[in-house]
Amino acid sequence: MNVFFRFMTLQDLDRIIEIEQCSFTLPWSRSSFYQELTNNPYARYIVMEYDGQIIGYCGMWLVMDEAHITNIAVLSEFRGKKLGEALMKQAMELAKKEGAQTMTLEVRVSNIVAQSLYRKLGFLNGGIRKRYYSDNQEDALVMWVKL
């Protein structure tokens, strides 16, 4: 499956919000993405396209030598095809090119599929953020990788 990666633009926001709402119980708002793209000098957002349609995206903050994944999502019908892995690898490569030496993220303790992907990419457990997710008070597993 041939996919194309590029930086997210404001014109992508309608599609990004669709994917966000299908993917998360606590989706980010359009204004949150707008603020990230227009007012956050640390933010980098990439999209993944297939046949001219955005099917996934990943965002991160780059601060000093650290990258923090803010969100990553792939449309459900494209999951299980190693596209999340391709998207994460693209984000990791971008972070490395921008000078990051480490990358971190939070993932629900119940999201075993995502944790498996992150471990495959070299991420290690770093700690637990108690009651991190406000929808159900679920803990977040903090994971780290050296780039």
Side-chain angles (χ1 to χ4, degrees), residues 20-106:
E20 180 81 0
Q21 290 176 341
C22 292
S23 300
F24 300 108
T25 57
L26 292 170
W28 279 23
S29 67
R30 181 185 185 85
S31 68
S32 293
F33 281 103
Y34 182 87
Q35 291 300 318
E36 286 290 286
L37 293 176
T38 59
N39 292 323
N40 185 346
Y42 305 108
R44 304 291 185 279
Y45 284 80
I46 56 176
V47 298
M48 179 172 57
E49 291 185 347
Y50 174 71
D51 270 354
Q53 291 289 328
I54 296 172
I55 62 167
Y57 62 91
C58 182
M60 72 181 103
W61 294 337
L62 290 163
V63 181
M64 305 291 282
D65 62 353
E66 182 182 308
H68 184 141
I69 297 293
T70 56
N71 42 20
I72 180 169
V74 175
L75 275 175
S76 60
E77 58 264 36
F78 291 93
R79 294 178 191 158
K81 302 177 189 313
K82 301 201 180 293
L83 295 173
E85 180 178 344
L87 184 55
M88 274 300 296
K89 284 180 176 177
Q90 192 75 22
M92 292 169 80
E93 190 59 36
L94 172 61
K96 201 185 308 191
K97 283 181 185 173
E98 297 244 1
Q101 295 180 18
T102 60
M103 179 176 273
T104 187
L105 54 79
E106 292 91 8

Side-chain angles (χ1 to χ4, degrees), residues 92-144:
M92 292 169 80
E93 190 59 36
L94 172 61
K96 201 185 308 191
K97 283 181 185 173
E98 297 244 1
Q101 295 180 18
T102 60
M103 179 176 273
T104 187
L105 54 79
E106 292 91 8
V107 59
R108 287 179 184 267
V109 294
S110 64
N111 193 343
I112 304 304
V113 172
Q115 290 174 39
S116 295
L117 167 62
Y118 302 142
R119 283 191 186 95
K120 180 178 180 182
L121 294 172
F123 282 81
L124 301 172
N125 294 1
I128 297 286
R129 294 195 199 282
K130 292 289 190 187
R131 297 176 295 282
Y132 182 79
Y133 295 98
S134 62
D135 62 333
N136 65 357
Q137 305 306 304
E138 185 173 358
D139 295 346
L141 174 62
V142 180
M143 301 183 81
W144 290 87

